[in-house]
């Protein structure tokens, strides 16, 4: 048995998992339309390589970018490009972005996919290139490019791969469904990632409230050669699925502030990402679909769906029987870390893992905030050992120097402090706002520093020019005096 290292803080929350787990995984039929935002997780825009009126095939690349941090986007089915137009996208700000809009033709005609028979003979970079060309990103919600994460210069010291199958946030069961339905793809993807990283150890973490997923993985592991992969059942405590919390729980290693897991010789990937890597390598098929949990009291039949990326959310809700009279909020993600969506016309993206159609009693209470009573409950549940009360006071007064001193950047915005606060203070909102202000201040400081350096460089050039002019005048005067002396 692997020794576990429990982290401080966290909460035991009602999990609400059974609602979406009653039915087996369903495959969504082809949607009428597919929508692909031309903006990446880092906010950087990418360019469309298709134009209005053109036809695309399933698996065809539709974007281009010179930046390796921007993996390509592929058409999830065949159809005609209606246009590249501005539409709202999945973002907490409700921002608009240019999107490729495809009218699906129903034929589902595909480009030719070509997989690799023996990846173990390939070099790490060649497999990373396959992963990049397949458009694979982290499917746990962060959507960080997988090929970039696997290609860090620090990976030469990595000794452990962690596969995160922990769905600690209430309502979400997409990874549970994946591990039950495709355990061979998860374990096969783990082996590929281990080969890419050159490690012989993989810890696959599953929560102890996911017995069917655990059994499915153990059964496949016992039938085939998955040496070096250890499946670990971990306690159901929120937020165990947080990357830093899971790393500490499994290994006792603490990722340093402003550091990454590779700093402690670990790479962490989501189980869905591993399954996508397995498909890309063995079949050549890029990331075209993913499993999404549609749940909440606001939808008639909560369940897990295998959905084409780009499908409008409205079609998912319709497939699940439509809205109930309790539907009040549409949330991307869970009730703790998710954000409200403005419309169900928004598309499913690679980062989408849960659509929560919530009633008012399924979201964190909106009761009127009262003054802080300094009870300290927020600090007792913080999984990263921060002092939320102090951060709140400094964030509220815009004392950005002090929020930095109190390690605001380490806040993972899990919402534990919001849940336990008896004064109903929206602490995470204050922290998010303060983070944005810190970024703006740092940008302003960087611009000011740049302007100062330019000013100083300009003054230095002027001084140098004046010195050169004075030196030139001095040489001319000396030459003139010499000529006058020689003439006499």
């Amino acid at each position: 048995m692997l020794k576990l290292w429990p982290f401080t803080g966290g909460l035991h929350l009602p999990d609400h998992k059974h609602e979406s787990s009653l039915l087996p995984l369903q495959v969504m039929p082809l949607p009428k339309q597919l929508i692909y935002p031309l903006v990446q997780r880092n906010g950087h825009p990418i360019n469309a390589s298709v134009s209005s009126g053109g036809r695309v095939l399933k698996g065809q690349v539709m974007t281009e970018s010179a930046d390796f941090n921007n993996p390509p986007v592929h058409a999830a089915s065949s159809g005609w490009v209606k246009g590249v137009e501005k539409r709202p996208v999945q973002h907490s700000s409700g921002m608009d972005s240019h999107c490729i809009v495809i009218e699906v033709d129903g034929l589902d005609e595909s480009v030719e996919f070509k997989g690799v028979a023996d990846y173990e003979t390939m070099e790490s970079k060649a497999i990373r290139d396959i992963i990049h060309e397949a458009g694979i990103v982290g499917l746990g919600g962060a959507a960080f490019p997988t090929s970039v994460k696997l290609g860090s210069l620090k990976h030469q010291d990595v000794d452990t791969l962690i596969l995160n199958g922990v769905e600690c946030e209430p309502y979400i069961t997409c990874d549970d469904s994946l591990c039950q339905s495709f355990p061979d793809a998860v374990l096969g993807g783990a082996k590929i990632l281990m080969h890419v990283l050159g490690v012989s150890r993989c810890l696959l973490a599953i929560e102890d409230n996911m017995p069917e997923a655990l059994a499915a993985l153990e059964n496949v592991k016992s039938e085939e050669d998955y040496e070096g992969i250890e499946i670990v059942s971990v306690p159901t405590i929120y937020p165990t699925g947080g990357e830093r919390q899971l790393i500490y729980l499994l290994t006792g290693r603490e990722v340093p502030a402003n550091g990454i897991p590779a700093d402690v010789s670990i790479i962490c990937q989501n189980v869905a990402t591993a399954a996508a890597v397995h498909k890309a390598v063995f079949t050549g098929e890029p990331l075209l679909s993913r499993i999404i949990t549609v749940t909440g009291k606001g939808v008639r039949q909560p369940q897990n769906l295998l959905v084409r990326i780009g499908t409008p959310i409205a079609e998912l809700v319709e497939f699940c029987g439509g809205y109930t009279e309790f539907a009040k909020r549409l949330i991307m993600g869970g009730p703790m870390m998710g954000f409200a969506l403005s419309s169900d016309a928004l598309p499913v993206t690679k980062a989408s893992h849960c659509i929560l159609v919530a009633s008012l009693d399924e979201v964190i209470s909106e009761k009127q905030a009262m003054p802080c009573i300094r009870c300290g409950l927020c600090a007792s549940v913080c999984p990263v050992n921060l002092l939320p009360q102090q951060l709140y006071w400094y964030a509220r007064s815009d004392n950005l120097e002090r929020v930095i001193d109190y390690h605001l950047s380490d806040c993972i915005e899990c919402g534990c402090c919001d849940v336990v606060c008896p004064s109903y203070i929206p602490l995470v909102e204050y922290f998010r706002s303060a983070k944005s202000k810190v970024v703006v201040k740092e940008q302003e400081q960087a611009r000011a520093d740049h302007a100062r350096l330019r000013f100083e460089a300009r003054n230095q050039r002027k001084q140098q020019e004046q010195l050169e002019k004075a030196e030139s005048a001095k040489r001319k005067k000396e030459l003139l005096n010499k000529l006058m002396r020689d003439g006499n």
Side-chain angles (χ1 to χ4, degrees):
M1 291 288 292
L2 181 74
K3 176 185 177 181
L4 298 182
W5 304 71
F7 57 87
T8 59
L11 291 171
H12 291 276
L13 299 172
D15 60 19
H16 293 285
K17 305 283 189 178
H18 67 279
E19 292 92 333
S20 58
S21 301
L22 296 176
L23 295 176
L25 176 66
Q26 302 290 312
V27 179
M28 272 281 295
L30 284 176
K32 303 178 184 69
Q33 196 174 76
L34 293 167
I35 305 167
Y36 298 94
L38 293 174
V39 61
Q40 298 287 285
R41 57 167 290 283
N42 54 14
H44 295 168
I46 52 178
N47 300 317
S49 58
V50 295
S51 55
S52 181
R55 187 168 187 263
V56 295
L57 299 176
K58 175 183 175 181
Q60 180 178 330
V61 176
M62 300 187 296
T63 61
E64 56 188 8
S65 175
D67 188 351
F68 198 72
N69 288 301
N70 293 331
V73 175
H74 305 76
S77 188
S78 59
W80 299 89
V81 180
K82 179 182 177 183
V84 179
E85 53 195 56
K86 272 213 163 185
R87 294 198 176 196
V89 296
Q90 286 191 9
H91 194 275
S92 56
S93 67
M95 63 183 289
D96 289 349
S97 171
H98 282 97
C99 300
I100 300 172
V101 182
I102 297 174
E103 296 293 342
V104 177
D105 59 18
L107 301 177
D108 206 28
E109 293 181 339
S110 173
V111 300
E112 182 181 359
F113 300 135
K114 187 176 181 180
V116 175
D118 187 6
Y119 70 87
E120 292 180 341
T121 63
M122 300 176 64
E123 293 185 356
S124 175
K125 183 182 183 306
I127 301 178
R128 293 202 310 270
D129 288 342
I130 291 175
I131 293 171
H132 171 78
E133 293 302 324
I136 297 175
V137 299
L139 299 181
F144 188 84
T146 303
S147 56
V148 175
K149 195 171 187 179
L150 295 173
S152 168
L153 294 177
K154 296 180 179 180
H155 291 173
Q156 58 187 357
D157 298 323
V158 169
D159 57 32
T160 303
L161 167 69
I162 290 179
L163 278 196
N164 189 346
V166 178
E167 292 180 308
C168 56
E169 184 153 5
Y171 292 91
I172 305 174
T173 58
C174 56
D175 287 344
D176 188 357
S177 178
L178 169 74
C179 291
Q180 292 185 50
S181 304
F182 306 103
D184 53 340
V186 173
L187 291 170
K191 286 189 68 175
I192 296 171
L193 294 172
M194 291 169 70
H195 174 71
V196 171
L197 295 169
V199 301
S200 57
R201 184 190 191 210
C202 172
L203 302 176
L204 200 171
I206 298 291
E207 275 190 305
D208 57 15
N209 66 345
M210 300 162 62
E212 294 86 357
L214 185 64
L217 291 166
E218 290 284 9
N219 287 339
V220 172
K221 183 175 181 293
S222 65
E223 294 172 358
E224 298 185 32
D225 178 25
Y226 291 106
E227 184 180 356
I229 301 176
E230 183 176 356
I231 302 172
V232 185
S233 177
V234 301
T236 304
I237 301 173
Y238 179 81
T240 300
E243 189 173 66
R244 292 175 181 236
Q245 286 68 47
L246 184 58
I247 289 172
Y248 182 79
L249 179 70
L250 296 177
T251 67
R253 304 178 193 177
E254 293 190 56
V255 179
N258 301 316
I260 60 175
D263 293 328
V264 291
S265 303
I266 289 172
I267 293 296
C268 195
Q269 295 282 1
N270 181 263
V271 289
T273 307
V277 168
H278 180 267
K279 176 177 281 190
V281 171
F282 279 100
T283 72
E285 183 175 322
L287 181 58
L288 304 179
S289 60
R290 65 159 301 152
I291 297 176
I292 296 178
T293 301
V294 182
T295 187
K297 291 182 180 179
V299 66
R300 296 194 182 280
Q301 184 54 71
Q303 57 189 301
N304 286 292
L305 304 175
L306 182 59
V307 182
R308 309 275 180 130
I309 292 168
T311 302
I313 292 171
E315 296 201 29
L316 276 67
V317 176
E318 181 182 355
F319 185 82
C320 292
Y323 295 107
T324 71
E325 66 273 20
F326 302 108
K328 298 298 181 183
R329 294 282 184 84
L330 191 63
I331 297 173
M332 164 62 185
M336 299 296 290
M337 299 184 72
F339 57 87
L341 299 178
S342 59
S343 166
D344 61 7
L346 296 169
V348 165
T349 67
K350 296 177 183 180
S352 305
H353 59 309
C354 178
I355 302 299
L356 175 59
V357 189
S359 61
L360 287 181
D361 64 347
E362 289 180 306
V363 294
I364 294 177
S365 174
E366 293 186 348
K367 293 182 180 179
Q368 182 66 38
M370 297 181 290
C372 173
I373 61 173
R374 300 179 182 272
C375 64
L377 287 176
C378 55
S380 68
V381 299
C382 179
V384 286
N385 297 313
L386 298 180
L387 296 174
Q389 176 185 301
Q390 293 299 120
L391 284 170
Y392 162 65
W393 290 116
Y394 293 130
R396 184 180 176 184
S397 61
D398 284 338
N399 190 337
L400 301 183
E401 289 79 9
R402 294 299 284 163
V403 296
I404 293 173
D405 291 342
Y406 276 82
H407 307 289
L408 175 68
S409 61
D410 287 344
C411 173
I412 61 174
E413 301 175 19
C414 64
C416 287
C417 52
D418 280 3
V419 171
V420 301
C421 180
S423 297
Y424 308 113
I425 300 171
L427 296 164
V428 173
E429 285 187 22
Y430 280 99
F431 302 157
R432 285 174 178 163
S433 176
K435 285 182 179 180
S436 298
K437 291 175 182 177
V438 168
V439 171
V440 170
K441 182 178 180 181
E442 289 174 346
Q443 292 173 342
E444 291 175 348
Q445 186 62 50
R447 287 194 291 268
D449 290 342
H450 181 64
R452 176 178 54 79
L453 291 173
R454 289 185 60 187
F455 177 76
E456 292 175 352
R458 180 172 175 270
N459 284 345
Q460 189 174 5
R461 286 197 306 272
K462 284 187 173 183
Q463 292 175 3
Q464 185 64 29
E465 289 172 359
Q466 290 174 354
L467 289 173
E468 290 175 353
K469 286 181 180 179
E471 186 66 27
S472 177
K474 180 180 178 182
R475 287 197 299 269
K476 288 181 180 179
K477 184 176 181 180
E478 290 175 350
L479 179 60
L480 180 60
N481 290 337
K482 182 175 183 302
L483 291 174
M484 290 178 63
R485 288 194 301 270
D486 292 344
N488 293 331

